[in-house]
Amino acid sequence: MSKVIMGQIYEHKQTKKLIHHIPKGAIAFVWHEDLDCVSVNGLIDCGVKAVVNGSTSMTGRYDHSNVLTLLEAGVSVFDVVNLKAKDKILEGEEVLIIENTLYIKKEGEFCELAMIAPYDEEVIFQLKGLARASYGQRFDDFLSNTIQYAKKEQMKFIHNPILPNELELLNEKEVVIVARGGNYEKDLAYLKKSFVKQKLIILAVDGAADCLLKMGMKPDFIIGDMDSVSEDSLMCGAVLICHQYQDGRSPASKRVESLGLPYQLVSLIGTSEDMAIQAAFWSRAKHIYLVGCRFGMKDFLEKGRAGMASSVLTRIQAGDCLTDLKGIHKLKQNRTFASHRWLKETEQSLNEVIGKVLIEGKGWLRKKGALRHE
Protein backbone atom coordinates (compact mmCIF):
# COMPACT_ATOMS: atom_id res chain seq x y z
CA MET A 1 0.00 0.00 0.00
CA SER A 2 1.33 3.43 -0.96
CA LYS A 3 2.23 5.82 1.81
CA VAL A 4 -0.09 8.81 2.04
CA ILE A 5 1.41 12.18 2.96
CA MET A 6 -0.66 15.32 3.49
CA GLY A 7 0.36 18.81 4.52
CA GLN A 8 1.21 22.32 3.45
CA ILE A 9 3.94 22.77 0.85
CA TYR A 10 6.53 25.55 0.59
CA GLU A 11 8.85 26.21 -2.34
CA HIS A 12 12.06 28.15 -2.95
CA LYS A 13 14.75 27.99 -5.62
CA GLN A 14 17.40 28.13 -2.88
CA THR A 15 17.08 25.50 -0.17
CA LYS A 16 19.11 27.54 2.32
CA LYS A 17 16.54 30.34 2.09
CA LEU A 18 13.57 27.98 2.31
CA ILE A 19 14.92 26.64 5.59
CA HIS A 20 14.58 30.09 7.17
CA HIS A 21 10.80 30.23 6.91
CA ILE A 22 9.30 26.78 6.32
CA PRO A 23 7.12 25.71 9.29
CA LYS A 24 7.52 22.45 11.15
CA GLY A 25 5.61 19.53 9.67
CA ALA A 26 5.46 21.06 6.18
CA ILE A 27 6.52 19.57 2.85
CA ALA A 28 9.55 21.21 1.20
CA PHE A 29 9.55 21.80 -2.55
CA VAL A 30 13.17 22.43 -3.59
CA TRP A 31 15.20 22.82 -6.78
CA HIS A 32 18.47 21.34 -5.61
CA GLU A 33 20.57 18.91 -7.63
CA ASP A 34 22.50 16.51 -5.36
CA LEU A 35 21.22 17.61 -1.96
CA ASP A 36 24.14 18.66 0.23
CA CYS A 37 24.82 17.85 3.86
CA VAL A 38 24.12 21.33 5.25
CA SER A 39 20.77 21.61 3.47
CA VAL A 40 19.75 18.13 4.57
CA ASN A 41 20.58 18.84 8.21
CA GLY A 42 18.68 22.12 7.96
CA LEU A 43 15.59 20.42 6.54
CA ILE A 44 15.68 17.83 9.29
CA ASP A 45 16.05 20.53 11.95
CA CYS A 46 13.01 22.29 10.45
CA GLY A 47 10.98 19.13 10.97
CA VAL A 48 9.80 18.72 7.38
CA LYS A 49 7.83 15.55 6.71
CA ALA A 50 8.80 15.21 3.04
CA VAL A 51 11.02 16.73 0.36
CA VAL A 52 9.88 17.07 -3.26
CA ASN A 53 12.72 18.03 -5.57
CA GLY A 54 12.23 19.66 -8.96
CA SER A 55 15.83 18.65 -9.70
CA THR A 56 17.59 15.34 -8.98
CA SER A 57 18.28 14.74 -5.30
CA MET A 58 21.00 12.17 -6.04
CA THR A 59 22.47 12.05 -9.54
CA GLY A 60 25.08 9.33 -9.02
CA ARG A 61 27.84 11.69 -10.23
CA TYR A 62 29.56 11.26 -6.87
CA ASP A 63 29.01 9.21 -3.74
CA HIS A 64 27.03 10.84 -0.94
CA SER A 65 24.58 9.73 1.73
CA ASN A 66 22.53 12.90 2.06
CA VAL A 67 19.28 11.44 0.72
CA LEU A 68 19.75 8.41 2.95
CA THR A 69 20.18 10.76 5.94
CA LEU A 70 16.75 12.22 5.23
CA LEU A 71 15.15 8.78 4.92
CA GLU A 72 16.74 7.63 8.18
CA ALA A 73 15.31 10.74 9.86
CA GLY A 74 11.83 9.73 8.68
CA VAL A 75 11.66 12.30 5.86
CA SER A 76 10.33 10.94 2.54
CA VAL A 77 12.18 12.14 -0.58
CA PHE A 78 10.77 12.40 -4.11
CA ASP A 79 12.05 13.72 -7.43
CA VAL A 80 9.65 15.33 -9.87
CA VAL A 81 9.26 13.29 -13.07
CA ASN A 82 6.63 15.44 -14.78
CA LEU A 83 5.49 18.80 -13.41
CA LYS A 84 2.32 20.42 -14.68
CA ALA A 85 2.33 24.16 -15.27
CA LYS A 86 1.82 26.32 -12.18
CA ASP A 87 1.39 30.06 -12.07
CA LYS A 88 3.15 30.86 -8.79
CA ILE A 89 5.63 29.71 -6.16
CA LEU A 90 4.09 27.27 -3.71
CA GLU A 91 3.57 28.99 -0.37
CA GLY A 92 1.47 27.03 2.09
CA GLU A 93 -0.95 25.29 -0.28
CA GLU A 94 -2.47 22.01 0.90
CA VAL A 95 -1.15 18.99 -0.98
CA LEU A 96 -1.52 15.22 -0.99
CA ILE A 97 1.09 12.63 -2.00
CA ILE A 98 -0.19 9.19 -2.90
CA GLU A 99 0.82 6.51 -5.44
CA ASN A 100 3.82 8.57 -6.67
CA THR A 101 1.62 11.52 -7.53
CA LEU A 102 1.56 15.00 -5.99
CA TYR A 103 -1.89 16.57 -5.80
CA ILE A 104 -2.65 20.19 -4.90
CA LYS A 105 -5.94 21.40 -3.45
CA LYS A 106 -7.78 23.90 -5.62
CA GLU A 107 -11.31 25.13 -4.97
CA GLY A 108 -11.90 22.31 -2.52
CA GLU A 109 -10.65 19.51 -4.77
CA PHE A 110 -7.27 17.82 -5.17
CA CYS A 111 -5.84 18.18 -8.68
CA GLU A 112 -2.72 16.48 -10.02
CA LEU A 113 0.35 18.72 -9.90
CA ALA A 114 3.21 16.33 -10.65
CA MET A 115 4.28 12.76 -11.14
CA ILE A 116 7.05 11.99 -8.66
CA ALA A 117 9.55 9.18 -8.04
CA PRO A 118 10.42 8.10 -4.49
CA TYR A 119 13.83 7.23 -3.10
CA ASP A 120 14.49 4.10 -1.08
CA GLU A 121 17.59 2.22 0.05
CA GLU A 122 17.71 0.12 -3.13
CA VAL A 123 17.71 3.20 -5.39
CA ILE A 124 20.41 4.83 -3.27
CA PHE A 125 22.53 1.65 -3.35
CA GLN A 126 22.38 1.61 -7.15
CA LEU A 127 23.33 5.29 -7.41
CA LYS A 128 26.24 4.80 -5.03
CA GLY A 129 27.48 1.98 -7.24
CA LEU A 130 27.25 4.26 -10.27
CA ALA A 131 29.25 6.92 -8.43
CA ARG A 132 31.97 4.47 -7.44
CA ALA A 133 32.24 3.20 -11.02
CA SER A 134 32.89 6.73 -12.35
CA TYR A 135 35.11 7.87 -9.46
CA GLY A 136 38.38 7.69 -11.40
CA GLN A 137 37.18 9.96 -14.19
CA ARG A 138 35.52 12.33 -11.73
CA PHE A 139 38.74 12.64 -9.73
CA ASP A 140 40.80 13.23 -12.86
CA ASP A 141 38.45 15.98 -14.07
CA PHE A 142 38.41 17.64 -10.65
CA LEU A 143 42.19 17.59 -10.31
CA SER A 144 42.72 18.91 -13.85
CA ASN A 145 40.35 21.79 -13.20
CA THR A 146 42.04 22.59 -9.89
CA ILE A 147 45.55 22.65 -11.40
CA GLN A 148 44.44 24.65 -14.43
CA TYR A 149 42.86 27.45 -12.40
CA ALA A 150 45.52 27.39 -9.69
CA LYS A 151 48.12 28.30 -12.33
CA LYS A 152 45.92 31.16 -13.54
CA GLU A 153 45.23 32.53 -10.06
CA GLN A 154 48.56 32.00 -8.26
CA MET A 155 49.92 35.51 -8.91
CA LYS A 156 46.91 37.06 -7.17
CA PHE A 157 48.04 35.50 -3.88
CA ILE A 158 51.44 37.22 -3.82
CA HIS A 159 50.66 40.88 -3.14
CA ASN A 160 49.26 42.28 0.08
CA PRO A 161 45.62 43.25 -0.63
CA ILE A 162 43.83 46.38 0.52
CA LEU A 163 41.82 45.48 3.61
CA PRO A 164 39.44 47.52 5.79
CA ASN A 165 40.92 49.07 8.93
CA GLU A 166 38.55 47.04 11.10
CA LEU A 167 40.56 43.90 10.31
CA GLU A 168 43.56 45.35 12.16
CA LEU A 169 41.87 43.88 15.24
CA LEU A 170 43.14 40.48 14.07
CA ASN A 171 46.81 41.46 14.23
CA GLU A 172 48.68 39.01 16.49
CA LYS A 173 45.35 37.59 17.73
CA GLU A 174 44.00 34.05 17.61
CA VAL A 175 41.03 33.81 15.27
CA VAL A 176 38.38 31.18 14.58
CA ILE A 177 36.63 31.09 11.21
CA VAL A 178 33.28 29.30 11.23
CA ALA A 179 31.57 28.15 8.04
CA ARG A 180 28.55 25.92 7.42
CA GLY A 181 30.33 22.81 6.20
CA GLY A 182 29.58 19.24 7.27
CA ASN A 183 28.54 18.77 10.88
CA TYR A 184 29.85 22.16 11.93
CA GLU A 185 27.14 22.56 14.58
CA LYS A 186 28.43 19.48 16.43
CA ASP A 187 32.00 20.76 16.22
CA LEU A 188 30.91 24.14 17.59
CA ALA A 189 29.03 22.56 20.47
CA TYR A 190 32.12 20.53 21.31
CA LEU A 191 34.47 23.53 21.13
CA LYS A 192 32.27 26.27 22.59
CA LYS A 193 33.70 26.27 26.11
CA SER A 194 37.26 26.43 24.83
CA PHE A 195 36.51 29.23 22.37
CA VAL A 196 34.75 31.32 25.01
CA LYS A 197 37.47 30.71 27.58
CA GLN A 198 40.26 31.70 25.18
CA LYS A 199 38.29 34.76 23.98
CA LEU A 200 39.07 34.05 20.34
CA ILE A 201 38.02 36.54 17.67
CA ILE A 202 35.20 34.94 15.69
CA LEU A 203 34.71 35.37 11.94
CA ALA A 204 31.42 33.88 10.75
CA VAL A 205 31.06 33.03 7.08
CA ASP A 206 27.52 33.97 6.02
CA GLY A 207 24.87 31.73 7.64
CA ALA A 208 27.27 30.35 10.24
CA ALA A 209 26.47 33.52 12.18
CA ASP A 210 22.95 32.22 12.84
CA CYS A 211 24.24 29.04 14.46
CA LEU A 212 26.82 30.93 16.53
CA LEU A 213 24.22 33.32 17.93
CA LYS A 214 21.85 30.43 18.63
CA MET A 215 24.62 28.87 20.72
CA GLY A 216 25.29 32.10 22.59
CA MET A 217 28.46 33.10 20.72
CA LYS A 218 28.35 36.52 19.05
CA PRO A 219 30.59 36.77 15.97
CA ASP A 220 32.96 39.75 15.81
CA PHE A 221 32.80 39.71 12.00
CA ILE A 222 30.35 38.36 9.43
CA ILE A 223 32.01 37.90 6.08
CA GLY A 224 30.84 36.66 2.69
CA ASP A 225 28.01 36.92 0.16
CA MET A 226 25.37 37.53 2.88
CA ASP A 227 22.89 35.29 1.06
CA SER A 228 22.32 32.66 3.75
CA VAL A 229 22.46 34.75 6.93
CA SER A 230 19.33 36.06 8.63
CA GLU A 231 18.54 39.75 9.08
CA ASP A 232 18.65 39.31 12.86
CA SER A 233 22.24 38.08 12.63
CA LEU A 234 23.24 40.91 10.31
CA MET A 235 21.94 43.31 12.95
CA CYS A 236 23.79 41.67 15.87
CA GLY A 237 26.53 44.31 15.92
CA ALA A 238 29.24 42.36 14.12
CA VAL A 239 31.44 44.10 11.56
CA LEU A 240 30.01 43.24 8.14
CA ILE A 241 32.49 42.51 5.35
CA CYS A 242 30.90 41.96 1.95
CA HIS A 243 32.52 39.84 -0.73
CA GLN A 244 33.23 41.85 -3.87
CA TYR A 245 33.79 39.74 -6.97
CA GLN A 246 36.67 40.30 -9.35
CA ASP A 247 34.32 41.99 -11.85
CA GLY A 248 33.31 44.56 -9.24
CA ARG A 249 29.87 43.13 -8.41
CA SER A 250 28.81 42.67 -4.80
CA PRO A 251 25.29 41.29 -4.27
CA ALA A 252 26.13 41.15 -0.57
CA SER A 253 26.51 44.92 -0.31
CA LYS A 254 23.11 45.48 -1.93
CA ARG A 255 21.42 43.35 0.69
CA VAL A 256 23.23 45.03 3.58
CA GLU A 257 22.50 48.51 2.16
CA SER A 258 18.80 47.64 1.96
CA LEU A 259 18.89 47.11 5.73
CA GLY A 260 20.64 50.42 6.32
CA LEU A 261 23.68 48.76 7.88
CA PRO A 262 27.33 49.84 7.56
CA TYR A 263 29.71 47.48 5.80
CA GLN A 264 33.13 47.09 4.23
CA LEU A 265 34.07 45.60 0.87
CA VAL A 266 36.85 43.08 0.31
CA SER A 267 37.87 41.72 -3.09
CA LEU A 268 39.81 38.46 -2.83
CA ILE A 269 40.00 35.30 -4.93
CA GLY A 270 37.85 32.28 -4.15
CA THR A 271 34.92 31.29 -1.98
CA SER A 272 33.76 33.27 1.04
CA GLU A 273 35.62 30.78 3.22
CA ASP A 274 38.80 31.38 1.22
CA MET A 275 38.28 35.11 1.55
CA ALA A 276 37.94 34.86 5.33
CA ILE A 277 41.15 32.83 5.64
CA GLN A 278 43.07 35.20 3.35
CA ALA A 279 41.77 38.25 5.22
CA ALA A 280 42.92 36.80 8.54
CA PHE A 281 46.29 35.78 7.08
CA TRP A 282 47.04 39.19 5.54
CA SER A 283 45.86 40.85 8.77
CA ARG A 284 48.69 38.94 10.49
CA ALA A 285 46.52 36.84 12.76
CA LYS A 286 48.65 34.88 15.21
CA HIS A 287 46.77 31.66 14.46
CA ILE A 288 43.63 30.70 12.55
CA TYR A 289 41.31 27.88 13.62
CA LEU A 290 38.80 26.57 11.10
CA VAL A 291 35.40 25.06 11.88
CA GLY A 292 33.18 23.77 9.09
CA CYS A 293 35.38 25.00 6.24
CA ARG A 294 35.18 22.89 3.11
CA PHE A 295 38.21 21.10 1.73
CA GLY A 296 38.28 18.11 -0.59
CA MET A 297 36.57 16.94 -3.76
CA LYS A 298 33.29 15.83 -2.21
CA ASP A 299 32.85 19.11 -0.34
CA PHE A 300 33.23 21.09 -3.53
CA LEU A 301 31.14 18.82 -5.74
CA GLU A 302 28.36 19.34 -3.19
CA LYS A 303 28.71 23.07 -3.86
CA GLY A 304 28.48 22.46 -7.60
CA ARG A 305 32.13 23.38 -8.17
CA ALA A 306 34.29 21.53 -10.68
CA GLY A 307 37.55 22.24 -8.82
CA MET A 308 39.05 23.95 -5.78
CA ALA A 309 42.00 25.98 -7.03
CA SER A 310 41.50 29.01 -4.79
CA SER A 311 41.07 26.86 -1.69
CA VAL A 312 44.28 24.93 -2.38
CA LEU A 313 46.21 28.17 -2.89
CA THR A 314 44.65 29.65 0.25
CA ARG A 315 45.70 26.66 2.37
CA ILE A 316 49.21 26.69 0.89
CA GLN A 317 49.52 30.39 1.63
CA ALA A 318 48.28 30.28 5.22
CA GLY A 319 50.27 27.11 5.92
CA ASP A 320 51.17 26.51 9.55
CA CYS A 321 48.98 29.43 10.66
CA LEU A 322 46.01 27.09 10.21
CA THR A 323 44.49 24.42 12.41
CA ASP A 324 41.48 22.72 10.83
CA LEU A 325 39.08 21.50 13.54
CA LYS A 326 36.52 20.03 11.16
CA GLY A 327 35.07 16.81 12.57
CA ILE A 328 36.70 17.21 15.98
CA HIS A 329 33.44 16.27 17.71
CA LYS A 330 34.20 12.70 16.64
CA LEU A 331 36.91 12.56 19.32
CA LYS A 332 34.09 12.18 21.80
CA GLN A 333 32.83 9.07 20.00
CA ASN A 334 36.10 7.51 18.85
CA ARG A 335 36.93 4.38 20.86
CA THR A 336 40.61 4.49 19.96
CA PHE A 337 41.02 7.94 21.45
CA ALA A 338 38.78 7.04 24.38
CA SER A 339 41.22 4.28 25.33
CA HIS A 340 43.96 6.84 26.07
CA ARG A 341 44.17 7.82 29.70
CA TRP A 342 44.23 11.56 28.94
CA LEU A 343 40.92 11.33 27.04
CA LYS A 344 39.22 8.67 29.13
CA GLU A 345 38.57 10.42 32.41
CA THR A 346 35.66 12.86 31.95
CA GLU A 347 34.12 15.36 29.57
CA GLN A 348 35.93 18.06 31.53
CA SER A 349 39.31 16.54 30.67
CA LEU A 350 38.35 16.55 26.98
CA ASN A 351 37.68 20.27 27.14
CA GLU A 352 40.99 20.82 28.92
CA VAL A 353 42.81 19.02 26.09
CA ILE A 354 41.18 21.26 23.49
CA GLY A 355 42.01 24.32 25.58
CA LYS A 356 45.64 23.33 25.83
CA VAL A 357 45.86 22.77 22.09
CA LEU A 358 44.42 26.22 21.46
CA ILE A 359 46.88 27.85 23.85
CA GLU A 360 50.09 25.95 23.22
CA GLY A 361 49.65 24.20 19.87
CA LYS A 362 51.63 21.16 18.87
CA GLY A 363 54.36 21.80 21.39
CA TRP A 364 52.14 20.64 24.23
CA LEU A 365 51.19 17.47 22.35
CA ARG A 366 54.85 16.62 21.74
CA LYS A 367 55.57 16.92 25.46
CA LYS A 368 52.77 14.49 26.17
CA GLY A 369 54.07 12.08 23.56
CA ALA A 370 50.91 12.24 21.50
CA LEU A 371 52.86 13.25 18.38
CA ARG A 372 55.78 10.99 17.52
CA HIS A 373 56.73 12.61 14.25
CA GLU A 374 57.04 16.14 12.95
Side-chain angles (χ1 to χ4, degrees):
M1 182 179 293
S2 299
K3 183 178 181 180
V4 178
I5 302 174
M6 293 186 68
Q8 292 180 305
I9 192 166
Y10 292 81
E11 177 185 4
H12 203 290
K13 291 289 185 180
Q14 292 182 282
T15 310
K16 58 188 175 183
K17 291 185 178 180
L18 177 63
I19 289 170
H20 283 306
H21 75 272
I22 189 169
K24 185 175 182 180
I27 297 168
F29 194 110
V30 302
W31 297 85
H32 194 148
E33 185 171 277
D34 279 312
L35 289 170
D36 65 78
C37 178
V38 173
S39 296
V40 162
N41 288 337
L43 289 166
I44 292 172
D45 290 342
C46 289
V48 301
K49 65 172 66 174
V51 174
V52 178
N53 198 340
S55 297
T56 306
S57 299
M58 186 175 182
T59 63
R61 292 188 305 115
Y62 65 95
D63 189 3
H64 68 80
S65 299
N66 300 323
V67 175
L68 182 60
T69 298
L70 283 168
L71 297 183
E72 290 177 343
V75 180
S76 299
V77 182
F78 305 87
D79 283 352
V80 171
V81 176
N82 183 27
L83 179 65
K84 292 194 173 182
K86 58 188 183 69
D87 54 6
K88 64 175 184 176
I89 297 293
L90 301 170
E91 189 67 23
E93 289 83 357
E94 189 174 349
V95 295
L96 166 68
I97 296 174
I98 186 171
E99 294 182 349
N100 298 338
T101 306
L102 174 66
Y103 298 91
I104 187 168
K105 196 170 188 178
K106 290 183 178 181
E107 299 178 355
E109 295 184 1
F110 282 105
C111 306
E112 182 180 324
L113 178 61
M115 296 296 295
I116 54 179
Y119 280 86
D120 57 26
E121 291 187 2
E122 182 179 351
V123 171
I124 292 171
F125 178 79
Q126 292 173 351
L127 290 169
K128 280 179 168 288
L130 180 63
R132 287 191 292 270
S134 62
Y135 175 80
Q137 185 62 52
R138 181 68 56 192
F139 184 86
D140 184 66
D141 292 343
F142 189 87
L143 182 60
S144 297
N145 179 283
T146 299
I147 294 172
Q148 176 187 351
Y149 282 92
K151 288 180 178 179
K152 291 181 180 180
E153 297 172 354
Q154 65 185 54
M155 296 304 296
K156 296 180 181 179
F157 284 78
I158 294 175
H159 304 292
N160 196 335
I162 298 174
L163 296 175
N165 294 333
E166 286 83 351
L167 285 171
E168 292 178 1
L169 178 65
L170 277 57
N171 186 31
E172 288 301 313
K173 299 291 180 60
E174 293 194 325
V175 175
V176 57
I177 295 172
V178 183
R180 298 192 317 146
N183 292 301
Y184 79 106
E185 304 100 326
K186 295 179 180 179
D187 289 335
L188 274 181
Y190 185 74
L191 293 162
K192 177 182 176 180
K193 290 182 180 179
S194 298
F195 285 170
V196 172
K197 185 176 181 180
Q198 304 309 319
K199 298 181 179 179
L200 302 184
I201 295 175
I202 301 176
L203 276 73
V205 179
D206 288 329
D210 293 338
C211 182
L212 283 161
L213 288 165
K214 186 178 179 181
M215 290 186 176
M217 293 183 282
K218 176 181 170 296
D220 299 287
F221 296 83
I222 301 176
I223 190 168
D225 295 330
M226 308 302 178
D227 59 346
S228 61
V229 58
S230 68
E231 290 187 7
D232 288 342
S233 292
L234 288 174
M235 295 178 180
C236 75
V239 176
L240 305 180
I241 299 181
C242 297
H243 194 170
Q244 183 179 39
Y245 305 146
Q246 297 299 298
D247 61 7
R249 293 181 301 112
S250 178
S253 63
K254 292 182 179 180
R255 184 185 180 200
V256 174
E257 282 178 1
S258 70
L259 298 173
L261 298 172
Y263 66 91
Q264 300 294 330
L265 284 172
V266 169
S267 181
L268 292 166
I269 291 289
T271 66
S272 295
E273 295 168 24
D274 298 333
M275 185 178 76
I277 296 171
Q278 293 169 44
F281 171 80
W282 286 112
S283 298
R284 300 185 183 278
K286 183 178 181 181
H287 201 79
I288 306 166
Y289 299 98
L290 307 180
V291 176
C293 290
R294 296 170 178 83
F295 199 74
M297 186 172 78
K298 182 178 176 181
D299 280 349
F300 281 82
L301 290 177
E302 276 197 343
K303 292 284 288 181
R305 293 180 176 268
M308 53 182 289
S310 59
S311 295
V312 169
L313 293 172
T314 297
R315 300 285 183 122
I316 291 173
Q317 181 184 67
D320 58 2
C321 290
L322 293 178
T323 298
D324 196 334
L325 299 171
K326 185 177 180 180
I328 199 168
H329 71 276
K330 294 178 181 178
L331 280 174
K332 194 174 182 179
Q333 307 163 354
N334 191 296
R335 294 180 181 179
T336 302
F337 277 91
S339 65
H340 288 278
R341 185 175 61 186
W342 55 282
L343 279 178
K344 190 176 181 180
E345 297 295 331
T346 61
E347 178 66 23
Q348 181 180 357
S349 68
L350 288 173
N351 288 325
E352 289 174 357
V353 168
I354 300 301
K356 287 180 180 291
V357 172
L358 292 175
I359 296 171
E360 304 174 29
K362 291 183 178 179
W364 180 82
L365 289 174
R366 290 194 186 97
K367 291 176 185 177
K368 289 289 183 181
L371 292 181
R372 302 190 179 191
H373 303 286
E374 293 293 333

